[in-house]
């Protein structure tokens, strides 16, 4: 695994962790991408790194130790637990309360379970070498309309649709959002590898068009997560102004976790 901030001057708002149980069978992984708020009121005394550290830690514990709970239940419980650690001065109903995208995976000898919420991605490589992306498409479906607006209005438009009907969803303070996640499973014997990626890495495919998901997985398996992130940084630096490849940030936090069975 590897995770790098978009800028060395700004804390990394991604989170990644993997746990292998003491029994030696199976495991769980968590990747979160914190949502960067505008530099003004968020209604909360806590920042995004604080939030992702607590949500990520709760998700890792619950998914690893509570095999009786479905992944959606783990997410709901982790959101509720994290919300309870906020103080009385935190307005958890504020649309900019700390929040994050989620990739959560758990496996044992028989099954690989997964959950994806918002625009981080999970790639599942089959035993035959085929690569299947597990994506939550709601935000991508809204971006064409956002791009049609003047640049100054795009962020506000998307923010108005976050955690709203007809929009897209992130993990914030409402446990019910777990019911909006994309969930599924696959027989363990049919899975050769997994890749959990924040959108700072998926831009290699969906922004810079340097290769499809199969090509991205091939680079990841051959060169490793840090090299893949380095390739993204090279593409970002070649278009710092976002002229050829429009994007919200010139450089974004980037996280990649590779699991090979």
């Amino acid at each position: 695994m590897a995770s790098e901030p978009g800028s060395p001057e700004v804390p990394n708002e991604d989170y990644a962790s993997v746990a292998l149980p003491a029994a030696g069978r199976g495991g769980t992984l968590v990747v979160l991408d914190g949502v960067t708020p505008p530099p003004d009121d968020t209604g909360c005394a806590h920042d995004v790194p604080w939030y992702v550290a607590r949500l990520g830690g709760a998700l890792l514990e619950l998914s690893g130790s509570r095999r009786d709970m479905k992944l959606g239940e783990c997410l709901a419980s982790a959101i509720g637990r994290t919300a309870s650690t906020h103080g009385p001065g935190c307005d958890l109903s504020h649309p900019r309360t700390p929040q994050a995208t989620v990739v959560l995976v758990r496996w044992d000898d028989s099954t690989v379970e997964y959950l994806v919420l918002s625009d981080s991605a999970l790639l599942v490589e089959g035993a035959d070498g085929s690569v299947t992306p597990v994506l939550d498409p709601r935000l991508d479906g809204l971006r064409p309309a956002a791009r049609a607006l003047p640049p100054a209005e795009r962020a506000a438009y998307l923010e108005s649709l976050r955690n709203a009907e007809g929009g897209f969803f992130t993990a914030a303070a409402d446990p019910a959002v777990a019911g909006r996640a994309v969930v599924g499973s696959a027989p363990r014997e049919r899975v050769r590898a997994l890749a959990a990626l924040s959108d700072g890495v998926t831009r290699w495919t969906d922004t810079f068009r340097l290769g499809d998901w199969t090509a991205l997985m091939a680079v990841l398996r051959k060169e490793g997560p840090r090299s893949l992130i380095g390739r993204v940084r090279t593409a970002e630096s070649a278009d710092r102004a976002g002229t050829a490849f429009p994007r919200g940030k010139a450089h974004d936090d980037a996280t990649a976790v590779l699991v090979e069975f």
Side-chain angles (χ1 to χ4, degrees):
M1 68 170 70
S3 185
E4 294 183 3
S7 167
E9 286 78 38
V10 179
N12 192 346
E13 295 175 339
D14 285 359
Y15 170 97
S17 60
V18 177
L20 303 176
R25 300 168 64 182
T28 186
L29 75 84
V30 181
V31 168
L32 307 178
D33 182 355
V35 177
T36 304
D40 50 22
D41 178 41
T42 64
C44 187
H46 303 102
D47 61 12
V48 174
W50 177 93
Y51 177 79
V52 296
R54 280 152 184 79
L55 181 65
L59 279 172
L60 191 71
E61 179 209 334
L62 289 167
S63 61
S65 65
R66 292 293 305 274
R67 293 272 169 170
D68 57 310
M69 295 175 66
K70 296 180 180 179
L71 294 187
E73 294 173 325
C74 292
L75 178 57
S77 180
I79 291 172
R81 182 187 297 184
T82 303
S84 71
T85 62
H86 283 274
C90 298
D91 178 7
L92 300 185
S93 67
H94 195 291
R96 294 176 183 168
T97 192
Q99 53 203 275
T101 74
V102 181
V103 176
L104 177 62
V105 187
R106 179 171 62 190
W107 63 91
D108 58 21
D109 288 345
S110 63
T111 307
V112 177
E113 307 166 74
Y114 53 80
L115 177 153
V116 175
L117 184 67
S118 199
D119 62 346
S120 290
L122 174 69
L123 305 183
V124 181
E125 184 179 76
D128 61 356
S130 62
V131 175
T132 301
V134 180
L135 309 171
D136 179 349
R138 282 168 285 206
L139 180 54
D140 280 344
L142 299 169
R143 282 181 169 137
R147 293 190 185 106
L149 297 172
E153 299 177 18
R154 293 172 187 170
Y157 170 75
L158 290 176
E159 185 177 64
S160 71
L161 295 172
R162 184 183 295 122
N163 292 322
E165 290 298 333
F168 66 102
F169 298 88
T170 56
D174 181 5
V177 78
R180 306 285 189 165
V182 175
V183 297
S185 64
R188 165 67 183 78
E189 63 184 11
R190 297 183 184 176
V191 179
R192 189 165 71 184
L194 303 166
L197 312 166
S198 69
D199 70 342
V201 174
T202 62
R203 56 174 48 181
W204 190 87
T205 289
D206 56 26
T207 299
F208 297 114
R209 310 295 180 186
L210 294 169
D212 60 13
W213 297 117
T214 300
L216 187 154
M217 179 63 102
V219 171
L220 186 59
R221 293 197 70 188
K222 181 179 180 180
E223 301 180 11
R226 194 163 300 281
S227 179
L228 176 60
I229 292 172
R231 285 172 173 253
V232 173
R233 296 292 184 239
T234 298
E236 291 170 336
S237 296
D239 181 44
R240 292 184 185 277
T243 303
F245 302 100
R247 53 198 189 274
K249 302 175 183 176
H251 302 280
D252 198 4
D253 299 338
T255 298
V257 178
L258 173 66
V259 174
E260 296 177 295
F261 294 116

